[in-house]
Amino acid sequence: MELRQLTYFLEVAKHKSITKASEALHISQPALSKMIKSLEEELDMTLIIRTNKTSELTDGGFIVMEYAQKVLSQIDEMSITLNDLTSLKRGSISIGLPPIIGSLYFPSVMAEFHKKYPNISINITEYGAAKVVKGVEESEFELGVAVLPVDENEFNIYPIVEDEMKLLIHFNHSLANRDVIYLHELKNEEFIFYHEDFALHDIMWKKFIAEGFEPKILFKSSQWDFMSEMVGANLGVTILPESICNRVENKQVKIMNLEPVTPWNLAVITKKNKYISYAARTFIEFFL
């Protein structure tokens, strides 16, 4: 059964005349009659009683008319909905976002995006960056914000931030008068560190191991403001991205350069070979 058959049938039912319906459809009467006949043969039922002056529906014809109206109405609604999606009058985006990153870059971007596309809903789930990558890989989110590097064979990568790690120490610390601190000099320090599901945990842990020691962990946290306040209370040291350090207002904390330099680069990622909605694609373009 073809949609065109139903469309032509409804036109005949509307006009109660093959002649008038053919004129409205701009096709010949024989062609229209053939189309109606093929529909009747397919359904194995007479739908229209034809006379010289009129074409009346049978009981079966009324049922087909009712369902044909519903089907074509749904098709029209589908077209309108698809048009709304492509013109971004509706839609939704699911994003995986690390807490440390979210407070830095996203509030202003979200506000501007919502202002421009008020009918697009944004569903945010906060995970550590490592868990965000897994969530995108398993299609829990369309988009994720991740700390690079990630597997380029698995993900499309849209870089958004280039940063580097800095050391936070108490202003009375014995190293506070230095211009640069070398990572191996922190062997005996107590660290306020990140939870295991944060990408920073693995990044810095590998750095420490490369320098010949495992860090002494005093506290673990997912909140950069808590971590910096612990440093301000002289409970230990921590290492955070420079863009976060720039927000630390505690006067007891001093921010130091670290060697070797550890980059902290962020990107929006999507899973390769997976459909990405119009709304999500627009968000990526907007963010970049």
Side-chain angles (χ1 to χ4, degrees):
M1 187 181 301
E2 299 177 5
L3 292 176
R4 187 172 57 167
Q5 288 176 308
L6 298 179
T7 300
Y8 286 4
F9 172 78
L10 285 179
E11 200 67 28
V12 174
K14 173 183 174 182
H15 291 283
K16 295 185 178 181
S17 167
I18 294 285
T19 301
K20 291 180 180 179
S22 65
E23 291 173 354
L25 292 168
H26 305 291
I27 63 173
S28 67
Q29 290 186 45
L32 179 56
S33 294
K34 184 177 179 181
M35 183 70 71
I36 298 301
K37 185 66 175 176
S38 68
L39 179 61
E40 290 178 320
E41 289 175 352
E42 187 172 344
L43 296 174
D44 194 22
M45 181 176 291
T46 300
L47 303 178
I48 296 175
I49 303 297
R50 304 161 182 79
T51 65
N52 291 333
K53 294 184 178 181
T54 186
S55 298
E56 298 290 341
L57 296 182
T58 64
D59 290 343
F62 278 108
I63 291 173
V64 172
M65 180 181 70
E66 179 182 349
Y67 279 93
Q69 288 171 335
K70 291 179 181 178
V71 169
L72 294 176
S73 175
Q74 289 291 308
I75 295 295
D76 288 341
E77 185 177 331
M78 180 184 70
S79 297
I80 292 170
T81 302
L82 289 173
N83 183 65
D84 284 350
L85 282 174
T86 56
S87 60
L88 296 175
K89 293 179 181 177
R90 68 171 72 191
S92 63
I93 309 170
S94 60
I95 302 176
L97 188 63
I100 287 180
I101 296 170
S103 62
L104 284 176
Y105 307 105
F106 271 73
S108 59
V109 173
M110 296 293 187
E112 292 173 18
F113 186 82
H114 179 68
K115 184 177 181 180
K116 187 171 183 179
Y117 303 104
N119 296 318
I120 304 297
S121 63
I122 301 177
N123 305 309
I124 298 174
T125 302
E126 289 191 310
Y127 283 156
K131 199 170 180 181
V132 166
V133 172
K134 186 174 180 62
V136 173
E137 183 180 10
E138 296 178 351
S139 299
E140 183 179 353
F141 319 117
E142 271 193 292
L143 312 178
V145 176
V147 178
L148 298 179
V150 297
D151 188 348
E152 295 184 6
N153 295 319
E154 290 288 333
F155 303 101
N156 300 304
I157 300 168
Y158 307 92
I160 55 174
V161 173
E162 290 186 359
D163 207 341
E164 65 180 58
M165 306 300 290
K166 299 289 184 179
L167 175 68
L168 284 73
I169 61 176
H170 192 269
F171 81 106
N172 280 333
H173 195 285
S174 60
L175 298 174
N177 62 344
R178 298 267 297 278
D179 293 327
V180 176
I181 308 299
Y182 292 90
L183 205 58
H184 67 82
E185 296 179 279
L186 303 177
K187 180 178 181 179
N188 297 318
E189 299 293 333
E190 291 185 315
F191 280 85
I192 293 93
F193 214 56
Y194 335 95
H195 286 301
E196 285 81 355
D197 58 348
F198 281 70
L200 283 175
H201 179 282
D202 289 349
I203 290 171
M204 292 312 305
W205 194 274
K206 289 175 182 177
K207 287 282 185 178
F208 292 132
I209 297 300
E211 294 294 324
F213 71 97
E214 290 188 5
K216 299 175 183 178
I217 308 300
L218 184 63
F219 295 112
K220 291 183 181 180
S221 177
S222 61
Q223 304 298 322
W224 65 266
D225 50 350
F226 174 78
M227 297 170 76
S228 62
E229 288 300 314
M230 291 297 98
V231 174
N234 205 16
L235 289 172
V237 303
T238 194
I239 298 174
L240 291 171
E242 184 174 15
S243 52
I244 292 177
C245 293
N246 292 337
R247 294 195 173 199
V248 174
E249 297 180 351
N250 192 320
K251 303 301 182 183
Q252 309 296 309
V253 175
K254 190 167 182 182
I255 299 165
M256 311 292 293
N257 292 321
L258 264 179
E259 289 286 350
V261 171
T262 301
W264 190 69
N265 299 330
L266 306 180
V268 174
I269 63 170
T270 62
K271 187 177 180 180
K272 280 191 173 179
N273 302 317
K274 182 181 183 300
Y275 174 78
I276 303 300
S277 68
Y278 285 97
R281 278 180 267 169
T282 301
F283 182 82
I284 293 172
E285 293 170 3
F286 188 88
F287 196 94
L288 301 179

